[in-house]
Amino acid sequence: MTGVWSWFVVAIVALNIAGCVWLLIYASRKRPGEKVAGETTGHQWDGDLAELNNPMPRWWLILFVGTVLFSLAYLVLYPGAGSYAGTLGWSQVGQYDEEVAAQRAREAELFAGYAGKDVSALAADPRALATGERLFANTCSTCHGADGRGAPGFPNLTDADWIYGSDDAAIVASITHGRGGLMPPFATVLGEQGVAEVAAYAYGLGGRVMEPALASLAARGSTRFAQTCAACHGANGKGNPALGAPNLADGIWLYGGSFDTIKQSVSRGRNGRMPPHGALLGEQRVALVAAYVRSLGER
């Protein structure tokens, strides 16, 4: 705070305290012509309910004086008068740093028991899983849900379908570095009819029973799928974890499995983004979250 603004704040504080002192003195003095205790102000209700003009009780006045004295003591001990730091040297930043340091010390004690353990070992430790669950709730549940079942565009972590692989290293890599899933739009390449044919073919990959109209579209879409989509999703549509290309033949759909939704995916593409959490969590916490995520699929 600059000198000018510091003095401005000091002046405001001093004026407020002086105003309170003046008001107390004024309210406690007996003025000429003032009515004595027991007299009424002339206001009366319901025949016998009168408003008295009694002076302020002394104990009440003493409490007000105490608040003024408290404010003066506070301004001496703590910052409140411009840039003056107070004799105790307290600051909200300093208190925050102390609390963070104390929390870090408690966390270090907690996580010391997990040091050096890999994901598999942590997944077998109920206490580690409980810690991983809390970390998951704070960091991951916004997108994947409190139960890990995801939402449209956010993978379900409780099933057997893993876009980038289900081994420990793949899960740790996903949490640490994040993932960027990009499917380009094919509306221009395929045209409206081609998009419908490819969508119908993808719709039927899981063995669904289709209406004759959709079956006809799917029959024509197989060639287009092989030419346009197989490079990522594979010739049989079972995906490619190395590329993050979802399996289209298992009946599990990231954005929804209706024909219209699939057609929208083919036409407009999809752009999914999972942010990296390595810097936020650190290696040990990432391992704990990975252990908990792995346990979700085993329940």
Side-chain angles (χ1 to χ4, degrees):
M1 185 180 295
T2 62
V4 174
W5 284 109
S6 176
W7 282 110
F8 175 77
V9 172
V10 170
I12 294 296
V13 171
L15 286 173
N16 274 275
I17 294 175
C20 290
V21 172
W22 175 84
L23 183 61
L24 288 172
I25 294 173
Y26 178 81
S28 62
R29 291 179 58 186
K30 175 72 175 175
R31 291 177 293 280
E34 185 177 30
K35 294 184 178 182
V36 298
E39 292 186 359
T40 69
T41 61
H43 302 152
Q44 194 165 347
W45 299 269
D46 298 331
D48 60 351
L49 183 60
E51 180 182 356
L52 299 180
N53 192 34
N54 291 332
M56 183 183 297
R58 185 170 297 278
W59 67 268
W60 202 351
L61 185 63
I62 291 173
L63 285 178
F64 280 127
V65 173
T67 61
V68 173
L69 295 176
F70 175 83
S71 67
L72 292 173
Y74 180 92
L75 291 172
V76 171
L77 297 173
Y78 295 96
S83 58
Y84 175 67
T87 58
L88 296 181
W90 178 91
S91 71
Q92 60 183 4
V93 175
Q95 182 176 345
Y96 171 79
D97 290 339
E98 290 176 3
E99 292 177 358
V100 169
Q103 179 62 29
R104 292 286 184 267
R106 291 192 292 269
E107 289 176 358
E109 183 179 354
L110 171 65
F111 291 115
Y114 307 136
K117 293 184 178 181
D118 59 18
V119 174
S120 297
L122 293 172
D125 183 348
R127 186 165 170 265
L129 287 180
T131 303
E133 182 178 10
R134 291 191 293 270
L135 290 169
F136 180 92
N138 290 334
T139 312
C140 315
S141 61
T142 302
C143 294
H144 293 285
D147 57 0
R149 294 185 180 276
F154 303 99
N156 183 346
L157 305 177
T158 66
D159 56 25
D161 188 73
W162 295 85
I163 298 175
Y164 292 92
S166 60
D167 60 275
D168 294 346
I171 298 174
V172 168
S174 295
I175 299 170
T176 303
H177 306 296
R179 297 292 186 182
L182 174 62
M183 174 179 169
F186 288 96
T188 304
V189 176
L190 296 173
E192 184 177 352
Q193 181 64 24
V195 165
E197 291 173 358
V198 169
Y201 179 78
Y203 180 84
L205 279 174
R208 293 176 173 177
V209 177
M210 295 188 290
E211 299 175 357
L214 273 183
S216 176
L217 284 174
R220 296 194 298 272
S222 61
T223 302
R224 291 183 182 272
F225 184 92
Q227 295 171 343
T228 310
C229 313
C232 294
H233 293 283
N236 53 9
K238 292 190 176 181
N240 186 347
L243 299 175
N247 184 347
L248 306 177
D250 59 2
I252 298 174
W253 298 89
L254 182 57
Y255 291 93
S258 69
F259 173 69
D260 288 336
T261 303
I262 298 172
K263 193 163 70 169
Q264 185 180 71
S265 297
V266 177
S267 177
R268 301 179 184 178
R270 296 291 184 182
N271 189 2
R273 175 67 179 162
M274 173 181 170
H277 290 83
L280 175 66
L281 294 174
E283 183 177 352
Q284 195 169 61
R285 290 175 177 81
V286 166
L288 285 164
V289 173
Y292 175 71
V293 169
R294 200 182 89 167
S295 74
L296 288 174
E298 297 172 353
R299 293 180 180 181

